[in-house]
Amino acid sequence: MKILVLNGPNLNRLDLREKSYYGDVTYSDISNAITSHASKLGLEVDIRQSNDEAELIFWLHEAADQKLPVIFNPAAFTHYSYAIRDAVVMLKAPSIEVHLSNPLSREEFRHTSVISGVVNGTIAGFGVNSYLLALQAMSDLVTD
Ligand code: DQA
């Protein structure tokens, strides 16, 4: 089964972002780590990134139509996009929210996630491992 791995705004520019939160990991490191871990778990992944809210919503609609499981780092949209939340609600297969950093240990505006309440679970604060743990959890969810 294919798993859609969606990434929101600015995750393609981790090289320019706060090293204290994101370390030295780049978007391409994350993609490569996900691809290699997925293949060990026997999962097919389709990894995408967009800075555009509409494009992310379009991909969520595609996931809903095709009943695809979704691992999703909505980045800053996590904290305020009701449109993305509404699109996540339409998903038919399991969904997992991931974050590289731990938003609860950062600025107050990051303490709210409008996504957490409509996904199966959230994994945050483990860097690239957040995605790998999510793959493991998703593997269990889709093979249950
Ligand atoms: C993030 C956390 C968000 O608060 C932030 O806006 C991001 C990245 C993370 O992966 O830690 O862009 O989603």
Side-chain angles (χ1 to χ4, degrees):
M1 166 172 310
K2 184 166 84 172
I3 296 171
L4 212 50
V5 182
L6 301 183
N7 292 284
N10 301 308
L11 291 170
N12 60 328
R13 300 313 315 265
L14 286 172
D15 49 319
L16 296 180
R17 296 187 70 185
E18 305 99 308
K19 298 231 171 296
S20 53
Y21 293 120
Y22 304 111
D24 285 323
V25 76
T26 63
Y27 180 69
S28 119
D29 294 335
I30 292 174
S31 292
N32 291 337
I34 294 170
T35 305
S36 124
H37 198 65
S39 113
K40 280 184 208 148
L41 294 171
L43 300 169
E44 188 192 339
V45 279
D46 180 348
I47 309 166
R48 305 180 193 178
Q49 188 277 331
S50 179
N51 296 315
D52 179 352
E53 186 178 23
E55 186 162 41
L56 290 163
I57 291 169
F58 179 82
W59 289 340
L60 289 164
H61 291 173
E62 180 186 327
D65 290 343
Q66 294 179 27
K67 300 185 172 53
L68 297 177
V70 175
I71 292 173
F72 190 17
N73 184 346
F77 289 137
T78 304
H79 312 300
Y80 66 92
S81 176
Y82 299 122
I84 285 185
R85 177 192 165 100
D86 286 347
V88 171
V89 169
M90 288 187 254
L91 294 172
K92 302 275 184 290
S95 56
I96 299 176
E97 174 189 359
V98 299
H99 298 284
L100 293 159
S101 67
N102 176 2
L104 293 176
S105 70
R106 299 179 62 184
E107 305 93 318
E108 185 117 20
F109 74 88
R110 296 184 204 274
H111 297 185
T112 297
S113 168
V114 300
I115 307 299
S116 296
V118 293
V119 289
N120 289 68
T122 299
I123 300 172
F126 301 102
V128 69
N129 275 334
S130 294
Y131 289 86
L132 310 186
L133 291 163
L135 277 175
Q136 180 62 60
M138 187 60 87
S139 167
D140 293 347
L141 283 170
V142 297
T143 54
D144 268 356

